[in-house]
């Protein structure tokens, strides 16, 4: 059983945080497009960002900020323009954004982190941003998580939010998070933004290490379409307002905090994968028997990212051969005669040998997931065993439908 419980409140569930989301006129649609997360005190800050060589200005800015100062009080996120591949002026816009929100909050610009999402090649609409900043600061609230979650989305169909609570040192500790992402989703990382708040007291180095591991087991283990974004950002704050004993080294309390952080990230990651553009179900792939966790995750990610596997799931076709082929090309050595494949409860391959199974029932299992309750009965489970090793890994994806092409064919038109 998990050593925590789900609570309400999202990113403002932890103590000492406020959030807001408003319409500033950045999106052509007129929907909310400017979000702010604010800690009442300086918070330890950690981040994981895209590995793409083409990085948005906000990513370069945050990387530099966190190298010189591992703390922050505010995260400002605009939606509508990615401000990626916008040259020197795009970076100057980023610096101006940080200074403007810092002045409005009466804090140092060095305590500001930034994120952007939207169309690549488009600068932020600075006039709209400038006029929106006083409004988003005025809207800050201890119940503003939902508004912030709604202001960071683009093609998402639903907002993504969670909060968990555990006990450390006989006091409650909370972690909350919001995220956005629906397309351009692939490991390392994917058009996704995720913001996490925590009220524990934790050292900067340990918090960064925890976040990096949590990212590997969540956001770096999801895929929608094989495309990695220019703007991927996962930023986590820990402001110490729980007044618990400081966590400065590996131990029981650190493990508990990291496990809850990982659970928050995995929930948000699965929500992103399920909300993949045009998707009708979530795909969860679990690989066992590998040499180590990294190898198991690599096989799982390859299967979850296979266009042929994803298309078969959308067609409700229990074509296990595509799963076997994806596992075989993952770049991880294993003996073919050890391979086992299950789709839900249907055993299809055992010791490398095909088995007879009820194809109609297996297809019905896929159809049922397509109409199942969100993040509950809408998951297709693929289980793969590759040997006798101790490595276990999971990855998440979604099916590939006709609508994915339609959505992305018309993205800027």
């Amino acid at each position: 059983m998990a050593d925590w419980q789900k609570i309400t409140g999202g990113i403002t569930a932890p103590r000492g945080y406020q959030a807001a989301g408003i319409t500033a006129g950045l999106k052509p649609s007129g929907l909310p497009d400017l979000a702010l997360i604010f800690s009442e005190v300086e918070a330890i800050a950690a981040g994981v960002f895209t590995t793409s060589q083409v990085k948005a200005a906000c990513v370069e800015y945050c990387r530099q900020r966190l190298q010189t100062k591992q703390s922050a009080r505010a995260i400002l996120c605009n939606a509508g323009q990615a401000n990626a591949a916008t040259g020197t002026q795009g970076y100057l816009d980023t610096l101006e954004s940080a200074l403007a929100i810092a002045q409005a909050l009466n804090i140092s610009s060095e305590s500001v982190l930034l994120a952007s999402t939207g169309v690549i090649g488009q600068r932020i609409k600075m006039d709209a941003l400038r006029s929106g900043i006083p409004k988003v600061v005025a809207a800050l609230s201890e119940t503003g998580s939902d508004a912030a979650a709604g202001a960071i989305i683009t093609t998402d169909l639903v907002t993504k939010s969670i909060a968990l609570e555990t006990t450390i040192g006989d006091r409650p500790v909370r972690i909350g998070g919001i995220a956005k992402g629906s397309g351009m989703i692939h490991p390392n990382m994917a058009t996704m933004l995720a913001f996490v708040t925590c009220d524990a007291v934790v050292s900067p180095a340990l918090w960064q290490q925890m976040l990096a591991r949590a990212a590997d087991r969540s956001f770096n283990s999801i895929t929608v379409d094989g495309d990695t974004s220019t703007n991927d950002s996962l930023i986590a704050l820990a402001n110490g307002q729980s007044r618990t004993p400081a966590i400065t080294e590996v131990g029981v309390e650190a493990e508990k905090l990291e496990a809850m952080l990982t659970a928050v990230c995995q929930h948000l990651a699965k929500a992103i994968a399920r909300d993949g553009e045009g998707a009708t179900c979530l795909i969860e792939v679990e690989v066992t028997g590998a040499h180590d966790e990294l190898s198991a995750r690599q096989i799982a990610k390859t299967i979850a990212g296979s266009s042929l596997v994803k298309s078969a799931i959308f067609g409700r076709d229990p074509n296990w051969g595509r799963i076997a082929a994806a596992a075989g090309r993952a770049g991880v050595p294993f003996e073919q005669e050890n391979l086992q494949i299950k789709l839900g409860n249907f055993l299809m391959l055992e010791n490398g040998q095909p088995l007879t199974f009820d194809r109609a029932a297996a297809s019905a299992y896929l159809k049922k997931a397509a109409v199942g309750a969100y993040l509950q009965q809408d998951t297709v489970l693929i289980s793969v065993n590759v040997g006798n090793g101790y490595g276990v890994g999971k990855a998440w994806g979604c099916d590939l439908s006709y609508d994915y092409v339609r959505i992305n064919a018309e993205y800027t038109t």
Side-chain angles (χ1 to χ4, degrees), residues 249-257:
E249 58 186 22
V250 176
V252 174
E253 292 180 344
E255 290 174 357
K256 179 186 287 190
L257 187 66

Side-chain angles (χ1 to χ4, degrees), residues 3 11-12 17 60 111 114 119 129 137 163 180 194 207 246 254 281 305 310 313 346 360-361 366 374 376 383 387 398:
D3 194 18
I11 51 169
T12 53
Y17 291 97
E60 296 286 9
S111 293
L114 301 170
V119 180
L129 185 77
V137 170
K180 67 83 54 180
W207 188 233
C281 63
K310 292 155 67 68
I313 299 299
F346 297 93
L366 298 175
Y374 179 70
Q376 296 180 43
S383 303
C398 61

